[in-house]
Amino acid sequence: MPLVNMKQMLEHAHRNGYAVGAFDLVSLDFLEGIITAAERCQAPVILSLAESHFDYFDFDLAMPAVVAAAERADVPVAIHLDHGHSLESAVHGINRGCNGVMVDASHLAFGENVAVTREVVEMARGCGVPVEGELGYVPGVEGEDAERHPGEIAYTSVEDARTFVQETGVDFLAVSIGTVHGRMQGEPRLDIARLQAIDEALGIPLVIHGGTGLSDQQFRRLIERGVSKINYYTALADAAGNRIAGNLGSDARGYTSLVKGVREAIADEVERCIRLWGGHGRAGEVLEQSEPWLPVEHLILYNVKGLDEAGVEAMMREGRRVLSGIPGVLAVDTGRAVKADAGYRYCWRIRFCHPAVIDSYREHPDHVRFADGLFRPVAGERISIDYQLFGDRA
Ligand code: 13P
């Protein structure tokens, strides 16, 4: 089960002078291509899902496949929500299986960015999930021509970065030092001295957005100056698009003929990046030095007094609705004993993403309201135990 804690993964990269690729995925071809490359290189990898791409695929449908791919991989994997739009997006991402989140408030004024990011950090701490913040503005849109969305680069200042990290408590900081999202003409000009000063001031893993279009030499210099996570998408989309265009040229018709080779094209580009960024051969050390990311089953077995079956079902329905929205809750299941003479007739099976959720869930106002108002008054006879799951799924 090599889903691992992303904070420990990136701290390993930071200590050892390499960067982990956070590759945005928009389809199963991307997912398989990224994992194939990481396994080929025996490298840690981040599967990244950008909210701006949710028009192209159904996030809720994709996530079970992303989680399954991560659990099946033989290299350490983290799953990251990239450029989330809001606190609600971050909660939704975590509850679908992301174990790292970023809410991008970099377009807001400094104080507002701090306030939004701090709220995300407070919520995510209760889920054991690390948070990336962004300060300064990296313009452009992933997958498009950068020139069409030029915006204005707002460079990150060292002083603001220090204050931002102190006031928000983010685990990683995305900095703006000259990169742009999307397809660029020519190399961007990077302010490496600024990056170095930010690295010296903060000492936490730094993140670069807009990886596409940088030269090999530029990547090396970024990593030397504290960059531990590189976000990368447009070049993968272009590798896929070029392969499809080539297939069209060979008279291929039909979906499967057109997308033939896309997975391999993506894997080749991901492999090139991993080797260039120094992550190859690091999988074993990262697995040894990172906590495995293991969910917790919160089990409650209970009997009910004072409600008929319809009343019990209504109470369970309300519980599934309310409890599934609490941060860190991956699933809420309700059950009835198969045998009528079982010691406990009903159960809740609530899956938390991390042991930290045991406390934050208990204290969450929605849980307190449901438990005190609807559940405990009728379920005096109950036992409750939290189990951390381990072992490969059979
Ligand atoms: P590129 O599309 O320019 O590689 O940037 C990706 C990115 O920064 C995603 O957050």
Side-chain angles (χ1 to χ4, degrees):
M1 234 192 234
L3 248 181
V4 300
N5 185 310
M6 184 164 137
K7 186 172 165 74
Q8 291 162 353
M9 174 194 271
L10 289 185
E11 283 174 352
H12 183 271
H14 196 236
R15 276 197 308 278
N16 290 281
Y18 68 94
V20 180
F23 300 101
D24 282 316
L25 63 92
V26 292
S27 73
L28 268 188
D29 277 329
F30 278 69
L31 175 60
E32 292 178 50
I34 296 164
I35 293 281
T36 300
E39 289 185 330
R40 241 164 27 203
C41 301
Q42 282 300 295
V45 74
I46 297 172
L47 300 171
S48 190
L49 296 103
E51 190 162 355
S52 59
H53 290 157
F54 293 0
D55 287 346
Y56 308 126
F57 65 95
D58 184 324
F59 177 72
D60 289 6
L61 270 184
M63 279 305 285
V66 173
V67 172
E71 288 179 345
R72 193 177 73 173
D74 65 12
V75 293
V77 180
I79 304 174
H80 186 63
L81 175 74
D82 187 24
H83 293 289
H85 295 163
S86 62
L87 176 67
E88 292 70 31
S89 307
V91 173
H92 189 78
I94 291 171
N95 288 11
R96 289 290 174 277
C98 292
N99 68 347
V101 290
M102 175 214 197
V103 168
D104 184 358
S106 62
H107 53 289
L108 301 176
F110 181 82
E112 288 174 77
N113 187 356
V114 167
V116 169
T117 308
R118 186 163 40 202
E119 247 194 313
V120 174
V121 171
E122 278 166 13
M123 177 281 295
R125 283 280 176 276
C127 303
V129 169
V131 175
E132 172 183 332
E134 178 166 330
L135 185 63
Y137 184 63
V138 176
V141 174
E142 304 86 358
E144 298 193 15
D145 291 338
E147 290 71 19
R148 279 206 268 143
H149 299 272
E152 273 294 303
I153 298 181
Y155 288 85
T156 310
S157 90
V158 182
E159 263 326 297
D160 283 353
R162 203 194 314 259
T163 311
F164 184 82
V165 171
Q166 272 166 5
E167 292 195 2
T168 60
V170 289
D171 302 281
F172 328 115
L173 185 68
V175 292
S176 175
I177 50 127
T179 58
V180 173
H181 292 107
R183 206 171 293 116
M184 295 201 58
Q185 280 172 4
E187 274 177 27
R189 273 207 301 274
L190 303 183
D191 189 342
I192 296 290
R194 179 184 296 268
L195 177 66
Q196 179 169 6
I198 296 171
D199 181 38
E200 283 165 5
L202 303 186
I204 63 171
L206 300 179
V207 180
I208 283 293
H209 283 246
T212 297
L214 300 180
S215 69
D216 293 3
Q217 173 67 10
Q218 285 180 316
F219 278 126
R220 285 191 201 99
R221 295 185 70 202
L222 291 173
I223 295 165
E224 273 166 23
R225 302 287 182 244
V227 168
S228 313
K229 171 174 179 278
I230 296 174
N231 286 24
Y232 203 73
Y233 170 70
T234 305
L236 304 185
D238 286 353
N242 290 339
R243 184 58 61 102
I244 292 168
N247 289 342
L248 256 178
S250 68
D251 281 347
R253 293 223 305 265
Y255 178 78
T256 48
S257 313
L258 285 175
V259 299
K260 197 162 186 229
V262 161
R263 215 175 342 188
E264 291 72 18
I266 291 169
D268 289 348
E269 179 59 10
V270 170
E271 179 171 354
R272 186 187 76 80
C273 292
I274 288 175
R275 294 192 186 281
L276 178 60
W277 303 341
H280 51 292
R282 299 288 191 167
E285 293 158 51
V286 173
L287 275 176
E288 257 167 45
Q289 293 176 33
S290 312
E291 272 170 29
W293 187 260
L294 299 172
V296 167
E297 280 302 345
H298 176 61
L299 296 181
I300 303 174
L301 311 184
Y302 63 102
N303 289 317
V304 169
K305 273 210 182 88
L307 279 185
D308 60 11
E309 278 299 301
V312 173
E313 277 178 23
M315 182 268 292
M316 286 174 161
R317 196 175 319 115
E318 179 62 2
R320 289 194 298 269
R321 188 186 72 76
V322 170
L323 304 175
S324 60
I326 294 176
V329 172
L330 300 175
V332 180
D333 291 307
T334 44
R336 183 183 292 112
V338 174
K339 292 194 175 163
D341 62 352
Y344 294 96
R345 180 147 173 76
Y346 303 105
C347 77
W348 294 100
R349 196 181 65 165
I350 302 172
R351 182 168 285 202
F352 298 152
C353 70
H354 184 274
V357 184
I358 296 170
D359 290 337
S360 60
Y361 170 88
R362 191 188 314 107
E363 289 153 20
H364 193 281
D366 290 346
H367 170 256
V368 172
R369 210 172 304 119
F370 174 75
D372 288 349
L374 292 180
F375 178 63
R376 289 177 183 141
V378 296
E381 203 185 337
R382 61 179 187 270
I383 54 170
S384 165
I385 304 180
D386 297 300
Y387 292 93
Q388 187 161 39
L389 303 185
F390 64 94
D392 295 332
R393 205 167 289 163

